[in-house]
Amino acid sequence: MGDEFCSCDILHENLIEIVKKKMPQEEKLYDLAELFKVFGDTTRVKIISALFEAELCVCDIAVLLGMSQSAISHQLRVLRQARLVKHRKEGKVVFYSLDDEHIKTIFNQGLEHILEPRGFEHAVF
Amino acid sequence: MGDEFCSCDILHENLIEIVKKKMPQEEKLYDLAELFKVFGDTTRVKIISALFEAELCVCDIAVLLGMSQSAISHQLRVLRQARLVKHRKEGKVVFYSLDDEHIKTIFNQGLEHILEPRGFEHAVF
DNA sequence: TGTACATATGAACAATTATTCATATGTTAG
DNA sequence: CTAACATATGAATAATTGTTCATATGTACA
């Protein structure tokens, strides 16, 4: 190995302990990663972005994104399980809409981040 | 197929057009998904969460998370490329810290979402 | 100059995940 | 009850991605 110990550990040992204590529970961080995983797919981001504008049925979304009904339905299930969208049934048709205010904040902050101009440190030459 | 058309399309045709026009560019949505993908991994969420508390070197993080130096280094690269962390070199040691204010908002909104009590619609019996 | 050490990186493997295809469920209209 | 339709879902496949292992880079110090 050789990965286990390094002089650096000794130097920052206390700091590591302090940080460890301040960090949220392991389980919370796991759930948080699961949540962001849901945002981390182009199809789902597009669906969310569409539902930002209006309530839509499954078929609308499929047409809008040019994808199969099945693919959309599978992704809507993921979004539902993460409680990001809610659904309303009207006869055969199921309408989906956003379920949460946090989504808008997360989404917009994400957009702001990617639109931010790059500093020197990040320049890709 | 049979997925291509449905009566539903005809009903909401106008709505689809309106939504399509309002949605951000395809490319932006792709980048956004890429950004969230970076948040969507337990190891990286833990790293971010640790850097919330203090600037740390690679080795500190490896010890803190009980993972190999290599694994951490690979993940730090991903975080760097997404401009979520910045680094500062001091001799052999490289210190990492958070690079962006949006991260904190995104992170906290995410936490609020997962900590939110579940409504009836989402109850898992 | 050479050794020790912190970090970075390439390749390979294992695990996860999105989409497709086929089919099931549930609702409406005849 | 049956046919038509919107949506959901299971299984399989294809693509993506995280970690490991081995090794490279670059800095400090003797």
Side-chain angles (χ1 to χ4, degrees), chain B residues 66-109:
Chain B
M67 292 179 65
S68 77
Q69 174 270 319
S70 178
I72 298 299
S73 199
H74 276 293
Q75 297 303 354
L76 283 169
R77 191 157 78 101
V78 175
L79 290 167
R80 240 188 296 133
Q81 284 172 340
R83 300 182 300 128
L84 299 183
V85 302
K86 61 183 176 222
H87 60 291
R88 175 175 74 79
K89 213 163 173 183
E90 200 170 281
K92 287 177 292 189
V93 184
V94 179
F95 291 95
Y96 281 86
S97 55
L98 295 185
D99 189 21
D100 195 296
E101 278 306 307
H102 304 136
I103 302 177
K104 300 192 181 181
T105 310
I106 292 171
F107 206 90
N108 284 326
Q109 290 292 310

mmCIF file of all heavy atoms in Angstrom, chain B residues 66-109:
data_model
loop_
_atom_site.group_PDB
_atom_site.id
_atom_site.type_symbol
_atom_site.label_atom_id
_atom_site.label_comp_id
_atom_site.label_asym_id
_atom_site.label_seq_id
_atom_site.Cartn_x
_atom_site.Cartn_y
_atom_site.Cartn_z
ATOM 1 N N GLY B 66 -11.007 7.581 4.722
ATOM 2 C CA GLY B 66 -10.560 6.184 4.745
ATOM 3 C C GLY B 66 -10.446 5.586 3.360
ATOM 4 O O GLY B 66 -10.809 4.444 3.120
ATOM 5 N N MET B 67 -9.955 6.408 2.425
ATOM 6 C CA MET B 67 -9.818 5.919 1.054
ATOM 7 C C MET B 67 -8.383 6.123 0.567
ATOM 8 O O MET B 67 -7.612 6.834 1.193
ATOM 9 C CB MET B 67 -10.789 6.663 0.140
ATOM 10 C CG MET B 67 -12.236 6.327 0.428
ATOM 11 S SD MET B 67 -13.360 7.241 -0.636
ATOM 12 C CE MET B 67 -12.962 6.576 -2.248
ATOM 13 N N SER B 68 -8.052 5.503 -0.553
ATOM 14 C CA SER B 68 -6.694 5.601 -1.080
ATOM 15 C C SER B 68 -6.415 6.997 -1.617
ATOM 16 O O SER B 68 -7.329 7.711 -2.047
ATOM 17 C CB SER B 68 -6.479 4.572 -2.182
ATOM 18 O OG SER B 68 -7.099 5.006 -3.371
ATOM 19 N N GLN B 69 -5.148 7.362 -1.590
ATOM 20 C CA GLN B 69 -4.736 8.665 -2.104
ATOM 21 C C GLN B 69 -5.106 8.786 -3.577
ATOM 22 O O GLN B 69 -5.541 9.839 -4.033
ATOM 23 C CB GLN B 69 -3.219 8.819 -1.900
ATOM 24 C CG GLN B 69 -2.617 10.067 -2.510
ATOM 25 C CD GLN B 69 -2.156 9.841 -3.932
ATOM 26 O OE1 GLN B 69 -1.573 8.807 -4.263
ATOM 27 N NE2 GLN B 69 -2.427 10.810 -4.803
ATOM 28 N N SER B 70 -4.962 7.692 -4.294
ATOM 29 C CA SER B 70 -5.238 7.701 -5.728
ATOM 30 C C SER B 70 -6.717 7.994 -6.007
ATOM 31 O O SER B 70 -7.049 8.846 -6.839
ATOM 32 C CB SER B 70 -4.855 6.360 -6.336
ATOM 33 O OG SER B 70 -5.148 6.341 -7.702
ATOM 34 N N ALA B 71 -7.571 7.312 -5.299
ATOM 35 C CA ALA B 71 -9.015 7.515 -5.495
ATOM 36 C C ALA B 71 -9.386 8.971 -5.241
ATOM 37 O O ALA B 71 -10.132 9.583 -6.020
ATOM 38 C CB ALA B 71 -9.809 6.601 -4.580
ATOM 39 N N ILE B 72 -8.837 9.526 -4.162
ATOM 40 C CA ILE B 72 -9.139 10.916 -3.824
ATOM 41 C C ILE B 72 -8.609 11.862 -4.892
ATOM 42 O O ILE B 72 -9.297 12.797 -5.318
ATOM 43 C CB ILE B 72 -8.534 11.279 -2.450
ATOM 44 C CG1 ILE B 72 -9.136 10.409 -1.337
ATOM 45 C CG2 ILE B 72 -8.732 12.754 -2.141
ATOM 46 C CD1 ILE B 72 -10.623 10.544 -1.165
ATOM 47 N N SER B 73 -7.420 11.601 -5.330
ATOM 48 C CA SER B 73 -6.795 12.456 -6.345
ATOM 49 C C SER B 73 -7.619 12.466 -7.634
ATOM 50 O O SER B 73 -7.825 13.514 -8.238
ATOM 51 C CB SER B 73 -5.379 11.957 -6.615
ATOM 52 O OG SER B 73 -4.622 12.961 -7.228
ATOM 53 N N HIS B 74 -8.082 11.285 -8.021
ATOM 54 C CA HIS B 74 -8.924 11.203 -9.213
ATOM 55 C C HIS B 74 -10.200 12.037 -9.042
ATOM 56 O O HIS B 74 -10.606 12.751 -9.945
ATOM 57 C CB HIS B 74 -9.312 9.747 -9.485
ATOM 58 C CG HIS B 74 -8.286 8.974 -10.257
ATOM 59 N ND1 HIS B 74 -7.992 9.251 -11.569
ATOM 60 C CD2 HIS B 74 -7.484 7.951 -9.905
ATOM 61 C CE1 HIS B 74 -7.047 8.412 -11.992
ATOM 62 N NE2 HIS B 74 -6.721 7.613 -10.993
ATOM 63 N N GLN B 75 -10.791 11.925 -7.884
ATOM 64 C CA GLN B 75 -12.040 12.655 -7.661
ATOM 65 C C GLN B 75 -11.798 14.159 -7.562
ATOM 66 O O GLN B 75 -12.635 14.955 -8.001
ATOM 67 C CB GLN B 75 -12.751 12.148 -6.402
ATOM 68 C CG GLN B 75 -13.186 10.708 -6.473
ATOM 69 C CD GLN B 75 -14.107 10.414 -7.642
ATOM 70 O OE1 GLN B 75 -14.528 11.308 -8.373
ATOM 71 N NE2 GLN B 75 -14.408 9.151 -7.830
ATOM 72 N N LEU B 76 -10.665 14.530 -6.999
ATOM 73 C CA LEU B 76 -10.353 15.960 -6.922
ATOM 74 C C LEU B 76 -10.187 16.557 -8.316
ATOM 75 O O LEU B 76 -10.529 17.707 -8.554
ATOM 76 C CB LEU B 76 -9.091 16.192 -6.081
ATOM 77 C CG LEU B 76 -9.293 16.083 -4.572
ATOM 78 C CD1 LEU B 76 -7.950 16.061 -3.847
ATOM 79 C CD2 LEU B 76 -10.156 17.224 -4.039
ATOM 80 N N ARG B 77 -9.684 15.727 -9.204
ATOM 81 C CA ARG B 77 -9.547 16.188 -10.575
ATOM 82 C C ARG B 77 -10.918 16.507 -11.184
ATOM 83 O O ARG B 77 -11.098 17.527 -11.858
ATOM 84 C CB ARG B 77 -8.825 15.139 -11.422
ATOM 85 C CG ARG B 77 -8.414 15.659 -12.783
ATOM 86 C CD ARG B 77 -7.282 14.847 -13.345
ATOM 87 N NE ARG B 77 -7.765 13.592 -13.891
ATOM 88 C CZ ARG B 77 -7.957 13.379 -15.203
ATOM 89 N NH1 ARG B 77 -7.710 14.338 -16.070
ATOM 90 N NH2 ARG B 77 -8.367 12.226 -15.638
ATOM 91 N N VAL B 78 -11.858 15.625 -10.927
ATOM 92 C CA VAL B 78 -13.219 15.839 -11.421
ATOM 93 C C VAL B 78 -13.793 17.134 -10.835
ATOM 94 O O VAL B 78 -14.378 17.955 -11.546
ATOM 95 C CB VAL B 78 -14.134 14.645 -11.060
ATOM 96 C CG1 VAL B 78 -15.570 14.912 -11.471
ATOM 97 C CG2 VAL B 78 -13.614 13.375 -11.712
ATOM 98 N N LEU B 79 -13.579 17.322 -9.549
ATOM 99 C CA LEU B 79 -14.087 18.528 -8.881
ATOM 100 C C LEU B 79 -13.407 19.786 -9.407
ATOM 101 O O LEU B 79 -14.030 20.836 -9.540
ATOM 102 C CB LEU B 79 -13.884 18.408 -7.360
ATOM 103 C CG LEU B 79 -14.769 17.372 -6.656
ATOM 104 C CD1 LEU B 79 -14.284 17.117 -5.238
ATOM 105 C CD2 LEU B 79 -16.214 17.835 -6.640
ATOM 106 N N ARG B 80 -12.118 19.654 -9.700
ATOM 107 C CA ARG B 80 -11.367 20.786 -10.245
ATOM 108 C C ARG B 80 -11.897 21.146 -11.626
ATOM 109 O O ARG B 80 -12.138 22.324 -11.927
ATOM 110 C CB ARG B 80 -9.888 20.400 -10.366
ATOM 111 C CG ARG B 80 -8.949 21.259 -9.564
ATOM 112 C CD ARG B 80 -7.507 20.941 -9.897
ATOM 113 N NE ARG B 80 -7.136 19.583 -9.529
ATOM 114 C CZ ARG B 80 -6.483 18.740 -10.327
ATOM 115 N NH1 ARG B 80 -6.136 19.108 -11.547
ATOM 116 N NH2 ARG B 80 -6.185 17.541 -9.900
ATOM 117 N N GLN B 81 -12.085 20.117 -12.466
ATOM 118 C CA GLN B 81 -12.558 20.358 -13.830
ATOM 119 C C GLN B 81 -13.939 21.009 -13.843
ATOM 120 O O GLN B 81 -14.268 21.757 -14.767
ATOM 121 C CB GLN B 81 -12.562 19.053 -14.618
ATOM 122 C CG GLN B 81 -11.156 18.636 -15.035
ATOM 123 C CD GLN B 81 -11.110 17.251 -15.649
ATOM 124 O OE1 GLN B 81 -12.015 16.453 -15.452
ATOM 125 N NE2 GLN B 81 -10.043 16.949 -16.369
ATOM 126 N N ALA B 82 -14.721 20.705 -12.827
ATOM 127 C CA ALA B 82 -16.056 21.317 -12.741
ATOM 128 C C ALA B 82 -15.979 22.665 -12.031
ATOM 129 O O ALA B 82 -16.998 23.300 -11.782
ATOM 130 C CB ALA B 82 -17.020 20.387 -12.012
ATOM 131 N N ARG B 83 -14.768 23.077 -11.693
ATOM 132 C CA ARG B 83 -14.526 24.353 -11.018
ATOM 133 C C ARG B 83 -15.265 24.445 -9.677
ATOM 134 O O ARG B 83 -15.729 25.516 -9.298
ATOM 135 C CB ARG B 83 -14.932 25.521 -11.923
ATOM 136 C CG ARG B 83 -14.140 25.528 -13.236
ATOM 137 C CD ARG B 83 -14.512 26.712 -14.109
ATOM 138 N NE ARG B 83 -15.924 26.683 -14.450
ATOM 139 C CZ ARG B 83 -16.772 27.692 -14.277
ATOM 140 N NH1 ARG B 83 -16.340 28.824 -13.792
ATOM 141 N NH2 ARG B 83 -18.027 27.575 -14.595
ATOM 142 N N LEU B 84 -15.326 23.330 -8.989
ATOM 143 C CA LEU B 84 -15.974 23.336 -7.679
ATOM 144 C C LEU B 84 -14.941 23.494 -6.570
ATOM 145 O O LEU B 84 -15.262 23.942 -5.479
ATOM 146 C CB LEU B 84 -16.772 22.046 -7.464
ATOM 147 C CG LEU B 84 -17.903 21.808 -8.461
ATOM 148 C CD1 LEU B 84 -18.673 20.548 -8.097
ATOM 149 C CD2 LEU B 84 -18.845 22.996 -8.518
ATOM 150 N N VAL B 85 -13.700 23.105 -6.855
ATOM 151 C CA VAL B 85 -12.630 23.301 -5.878
ATOM 152 C C VAL B 85 -11.452 24.001 -6.545
ATOM 153 O O VAL B 85 -11.287 23.952 -7.758
ATOM 154 C CB VAL B 85 -12.137 21.960 -5.285
ATOM 155 C CG1 VAL B 85 -13.282 21.201 -4.630
ATOM 156 C CG2 VAL B 85 -11.449 21.104 -6.334
ATOM 157 N N LYS B 86 -10.671 24.673 -5.725
ATOM 158 C CA LYS B 86 -9.436 25.270 -6.224
ATOM 159 C C LYS B 86 -8.281 24.696 -5.406
ATOM 160 O O LYS B 86 -8.498 24.144 -4.319
ATOM 161 C CB LYS B 86 -9.487 26.789 -6.124
ATOM 162 C CG LYS B 86 -9.656 27.323 -4.720
ATOM 163 C CD LYS B 86 -9.766 28.848 -4.744
ATOM 164 C CE LYS B 86 -10.031 29.389 -3.351
ATOM 165 N NZ LYS B 86 -11.028 30.470 -3.344
ATOM 166 N N HIS B 87 -7.064 24.808 -5.929
ATOM 167 C CA HIS B 87 -5.937 24.257 -5.188
ATOM 168 C C HIS B 87 -4.795 25.253 -5.078
ATOM 169 O O HIS B 87 -4.649 26.150 -5.892
ATOM 170 C CB HIS B 87 -5.460 22.957 -5.813
ATOM 171 C CG HIS B 87 -5.000 23.102 -7.231
ATOM 172 N ND1 HIS B 87 -5.846 23.379 -8.277
ATOM 173 C CD2 HIS B 87 -3.766 22.998 -7.773
ATOM 174 C CE1 HIS B 87 -5.155 23.439 -9.388
ATOM 175 N NE2 HIS B 87 -3.899 23.229 -9.127
ATOM 176 N N ARG B 88 -4.037 25.030 -4.042
ATOM 177 C CA ARG B 88 -2.946 25.926 -3.676
ATOM 178 C C ARG B 88 -1.778 25.025 -3.315
ATOM 179 O O ARG B 88 -1.912 24.100 -2.523
ATOM 180 C CB ARG B 88 -3.391 26.718 -2.447
ATOM 181 C CG ARG B 88 -2.371 27.625 -1.827
ATOM 182 C CD ARG B 88 -3.022 28.429 -0.709
ATOM 183 N NE ARG B 88 -3.277 27.625 0.495
ATOM 184 C CZ ARG B 88 -2.345 27.301 1.389
ATOM 185 N NH1 ARG B 88 -1.108 27.723 1.254
ATOM 186 N NH2 ARG B 88 -2.641 26.567 2.441
ATOM 187 N N LYS B 89 -0.642 25.260 -3.938
ATOM 188 C CA LYS B 89 0.500 24.373 -3.742
ATOM 189 C C LYS B 89 1.451 24.966 -2.716
ATOM 190 O O LYS B 89 1.797 26.144 -2.793
ATOM 191 C CB LYS B 89 1.218 24.179 -5.074
ATOM 192 C CG LYS B 89 1.833 22.819 -5.243
ATOM 193 C CD LYS B 89 2.144 22.566 -6.709
ATOM 194 C CE LYS B 89 2.924 21.264 -6.858
ATOM 195 N NZ LYS B 89 3.295 21.033 -8.253
ATOM 196 N N GLU B 90 1.888 24.163 -1.768
ATOM 197 C CA GLU B 90 2.844 24.618 -0.762
ATOM 198 C C GLU B 90 3.902 23.527 -0.645
ATOM 199 O O GLU B 90 3.728 22.554 0.093
ATOM 200 C CB GLU B 90 2.127 24.831 0.574
ATOM 201 C CG GLU B 90 2.866 25.726 1.539
ATOM 202 C CD GLU B 90 1.986 26.100 2.733
ATOM 203 O OE1 GLU B 90 1.117 26.997 2.598
ATOM 204 O OE2 GLU B 90 2.174 25.483 3.790
ATOM 205 N N GLY B 91 4.957 23.693 -1.418
ATOM 206 C CA GLY B 91 5.962 22.632 -1.472
ATOM 207 C C GLY B 91 5.390 21.400 -2.153
ATOM 208 O O GLY B 91 4.789 21.513 -3.223
ATOM 209 N N LYS B 92 5.531 20.261 -1.487
ATOM 210 C CA LYS B 92 5.006 19.022 -2.059
ATOM 211 C C LYS B 92 3.502 18.898 -1.869
ATOM 212 O O LYS B 92 2.836 18.155 -2.570
ATOM 213 C CB LYS B 92 5.666 17.812 -1.354
ATOM 214 C CG LYS B 92 7.089 17.564 -1.716
ATOM 215 C CD LYS B 92 7.651 16.409 -0.908
ATOM 216 C CE LYS B 92 7.776 16.726 0.566
ATOM 217 N NZ LYS B 92 8.524 15.675 1.313
ATOM 218 N N VAL B 93 3.029 19.656 -0.880
ATOM 219 C CA VAL B 93 1.634 19.485 -0.467
ATOM 220 C C VAL B 93 0.701 20.386 -1.274
ATOM 221 O O VAL B 93 1.000 21.554 -1.506
ATOM 222 C CB VAL B 93 1.495 19.794 1.039
ATOM 223 C CG1 VAL B 93 0.066 19.530 1.496
ATOM 224 C CG2 VAL B 93 2.488 18.960 1.840
ATOM 225 N N VAL B 94 -0.425 19.831 -1.678
ATOM 226 C CA VAL B 94 -1.431 20.598 -2.405
ATOM 227 C C VAL B 94 -2.686 20.720 -1.539
ATOM 228 O O VAL B 94 -3.245 19.708 -1.111
ATOM 229 C CB VAL B 94 -1.785 19.929 -3.739
ATOM 230 C CG1 VAL B 94 -2.859 20.732 -4.472
ATOM 231 C CG2 VAL B 94 -0.550 19.785 -4.605
ATOM 232 N N PHE B 95 -3.068 21.945 -1.276
ATOM 233 C CA PHE B 95 -4.256 22.183 -0.454
ATOM 234 C C PHE B 95 -5.452 22.500 -1.334
ATOM 235 O O PHE B 95 -5.351 23.297 -2.266
ATOM 236 C CB PHE B 95 -4.017 23.347 0.510
ATOM 237 C CG PHE B 95 -3.027 23.031 1.589
ATOM 238 C CD1 PHE B 95 -1.686 23.366 1.448
ATOM 239 C CD2 PHE B 95 -3.447 22.385 2.749
ATOM 240 C CE1 PHE B 95 -0.770 23.063 2.446
ATOM 241 C CE2 PHE B 95 -2.542 22.082 3.752
ATOM 242 C CZ PHE B 95 -1.198 22.418 3.607
ATOM 243 N N TYR B 96 -6.560 21.881 -0.988
ATOM 244 C CA TYR B 96 -7.796 22.110 -1.742
ATOM 245 C C TYR B 96 -8.809 22.858 -0.899
ATOM 246 O O TYR B 96 -8.882 22.681 0.307
ATOM 247 C CB TYR B 96 -8.387 20.769 -2.195
ATOM 248 C CG TYR B 96 -7.696 20.205 -3.403
ATOM 249 C CD1 TYR B 96 -6.545 19.426 -3.269
ATOM 250 C CD2 TYR B 96 -8.169 20.461 -4.684
ATOM 251 C CE1 TYR B 96 -5.897 18.915 -4.383
ATOM 252 C CE2 TYR B 96 -7.528 19.947 -5.805
ATOM 253 C CZ TYR B 96 -6.396 19.179 -5.643
ATOM 254 O OH TYR B 96 -5.761 18.692 -6.745
ATOM 255 N N SER B 97 -9.601 23.696 -1.579
ATOM 256 C CA SER B 97 -10.705 24.381 -0.899
ATOM 257 C C SER B 97 -11.833 24.624 -1.902
ATOM 258 O O SER B 97 -11.642 24.485 -3.099
ATOM 259 C CB SER B 97 -10.214 25.703 -0.311
ATOM 260 O OG SER B 97 -9.621 26.492 -1.322
ATOM 261 N N LEU B 98 -12.982 24.995 -1.397
ATOM 262 C CA LEU B 98 -14.135 25.235 -2.269
ATOM 263 C C LEU B 98 -13.898 26.485 -3.097
ATOM 264 O O LEU B 98 -13.298 27.449 -2.637
ATOM 265 C CB LEU B 98 -15.418 25.378 -1.451
ATOM 266 C CG LEU B 98 -15.845 24.123 -0.695
ATOM 267 C CD1 LEU B 98 -17.193 24.356 -0.021
ATOM 268 C CD2 LEU B 98 -15.917 22.914 -1.618
ATOM 269 N N ASP B 99 -14.410 26.465 -4.313
ATOM 270 C CA ASP B 99 -14.100 27.543 -5.248
ATOM 271 C C ASP B 99 -15.303 28.427 -5.557
ATOM 272 O O ASP B 99 -15.203 29.328 -6.367
ATOM 273 C CB ASP B 99 -13.581 26.940 -6.552
ATOM 274 C CG ASP B 99 -13.023 27.993 -7.488
ATOM 275 O OD1 ASP B 99 -12.677 29.092 -6.994
ATOM 276 O OD2 ASP B 99 -12.939 27.734 -8.688
ATOM 277 N N ASP B 100 -16.425 28.162 -4.919
ATOM 278 C CA ASP B 100 -17.615 28.781 -5.472
ATOM 279 C C ASP B 100 -18.696 28.931 -4.408
ATOM 280 O O ASP B 100 -18.911 28.065 -3.579
ATOM 281 C CB ASP B 100 -18.124 27.860 -6.590
ATOM 282 C CG ASP B 100 -19.136 28.536 -7.475
ATOM 283 O OD1 ASP B 100 -20.211 28.876 -6.974
ATOM 284 O OD2 ASP B 100 -18.833 28.714 -8.653
ATOM 285 N N GLU B 101 -19.382 30.051 -4.475
ATOM 286 C CA GLU B 101 -20.471 30.294 -3.528
ATOM 287 C C GLU B 101 -21.713 29.471 -3.864
ATOM 288 O O GLU B 101 -22.450 29.055 -2.981
ATOM 289 C CB GLU B 101 -20.829 31.785 -3.506
ATOM 290 C CG GLU B 101 -19.916 32.610 -2.629
ATOM 291 C CD GLU B 101 -19.822 32.068 -1.195
ATOM 292 O OE1 GLU B 101 -20.861 31.865 -0.569
ATOM 293 O OE2 GLU B 101 -18.688 31.834 -0.722
ATOM 294 N N HIS B 102 -21.927 29.248 -5.160
ATOM 295 C CA HIS B 102 -23.119 28.496 -5.581
ATOM 296 C C HIS B 102 -23.146 27.112 -4.960
ATOM 297 O O HIS B 102 -24.215 26.576 -4.666
ATOM 298 C CB HIS B 102 -23.154 28.345 -7.097
ATOM 299 C CG HIS B 102 -23.101 29.636 -7.825
ATOM 300 N ND1 HIS B 102 -22.305 29.835 -8.915
ATOM 301 C CD2 HIS B 102 -23.749 30.799 -7.601
ATOM 302 C CE1 HIS B 102 -22.476 31.069 -9.334
ATOM 303 N NE2 HIS B 102 -23.337 31.681 -8.565
ATOM 304 N N ILE B 103 -21.950 26.539 -4.801
ATOM 305 C CA ILE B 103 -21.872 25.191 -4.250
ATOM 306 C C ILE B 103 -22.603 25.111 -2.931
ATOM 307 O O ILE B 103 -23.362 24.189 -2.673
ATOM 308 C CB ILE B 103 -20.420 24.773 -4.003
ATOM 309 C CG1 ILE B 103 -19.631 24.834 -5.292
ATOM 310 C CG2 ILE B 103 -20.360 23.381 -3.415
ATOM 311 C CD1 ILE B 103 -18.173 24.502 -5.079
ATOM 312 N N LYS B 104 -22.357 26.111 -2.082
ATOM 313 C CA LYS B 104 -22.969 26.082 -0.761
ATOM 314 C C LYS B 104 -24.478 26.122 -0.857
ATOM 315 O O LYS B 104 -25.187 25.401 -0.148
ATOM 316 C CB LYS B 104 -22.444 27.254 0.090
ATOM 317 C CG LYS B 104 -20.934 27.172 0.265
ATOM 318 C CD LYS B 104 -20.400 28.124 1.311
ATOM 319 C CE LYS B 104 -18.872 27.956 1.381
ATOM 320 N NZ LYS B 104 -18.233 28.814 2.383
ATOM 321 N N THR B 105 -24.983 26.979 -1.749
ATOM 322 C CA THR B 105 -26.435 27.058 -1.923
ATOM 323 C C THR B 105 -26.987 25.734 -2.435
ATOM 324 O O THR B 105 -27.963 25.206 -1.894
ATOM 325 C CB THR B 105 -26.790 28.171 -2.931
ATOM 326 O OG1 THR B 105 -26.110 29.364 -2.557
ATOM 327 C CG2 THR B 105 -28.274 28.418 -2.951
ATOM 328 N N ILE B 106 -26.358 25.207 -3.476
ATOM 329 C CA ILE B 106 -26.828 23.945 -4.056
ATOM 330 C C ILE B 106 -26.806 22.849 -3.002
ATOM 331 O O ILE B 106 -27.780 22.115 -2.813
ATOM 332 C CB ILE B 106 -25.932 23.551 -5.256
ATOM 333 C CG1 ILE B 106 -26.133 24.536 -6.417
ATOM 334 C CG2 ILE B 106 -26.228 22.133 -5.699
ATOM 335 C CD1 ILE B 106 -25.151 24.361 -7.563
ATOM 336 N N PHE B 107 -25.715 22.766 -2.302
ATOM 337 C CA PHE B 107 -25.528 21.759 -1.265
ATOM 338 C C PHE B 107 -26.608 21.889 -0.178
ATOM 339 O O PHE B 107 -27.256 20.916 0.202
ATOM 340 C CB PHE B 107 -24.146 21.957 -0.657
ATOM 341 C CG PHE B 107 -23.557 20.726 -0.049
ATOM 342 C CD1 PHE B 107 -22.768 19.870 -0.814
ATOM 343 C CD2 PHE B 107 -23.738 20.438 1.288
ATOM 344 C CE1 PHE B 107 -22.189 18.738 -0.255
ATOM 345 C CE2 PHE B 107 -23.170 19.301 1.864
ATOM 346 C CZ PHE B 107 -22.390 18.456 1.092
ATOM 347 N N ASN B 108 -26.814 23.106 0.294
ATOM 348 C CA ASN B 108 -27.777 23.316 1.370
ATOM 349 C C ASN B 108 -29.219 23.094 0.933
ATOM 350 O O ASN B 108 -30.020 22.547 1.686
ATOM 351 C CB ASN B 108 -27.615 24.721 1.959
ATOM 352 C CG ASN B 108 -26.392 24.801 2.855
ATOM 353 O OD1 ASN B 108 -26.040 23.837 3.533
ATOM 354 N ND2 ASN B 108 -25.723 25.951 2.852
ATOM 355 N N GLN B 109 -29.539 23.515 -0.278
ATOM 356 C CA GLN B 109 -30.886 23.269 -0.784
ATOM 357 C C GLN B 109 -31.121 21.770 -0.925
ATOM 358 O O GLN B 109 -32.204 21.273 -0.662
ATOM 359 C CB GLN B 109 -31.088 23.954 -2.137
ATOM 360 C CG GLN B 109 -31.144 25.466 -2.053
ATOM 361 C CD GLN B 109 -32.389 25.957 -1.343
ATOM 362 O OE1 GLN B 109 -33.490 25.551 -1.648
ATOM 363 N NE2 GLN B 109 -32.202 26.827 -0.365
#
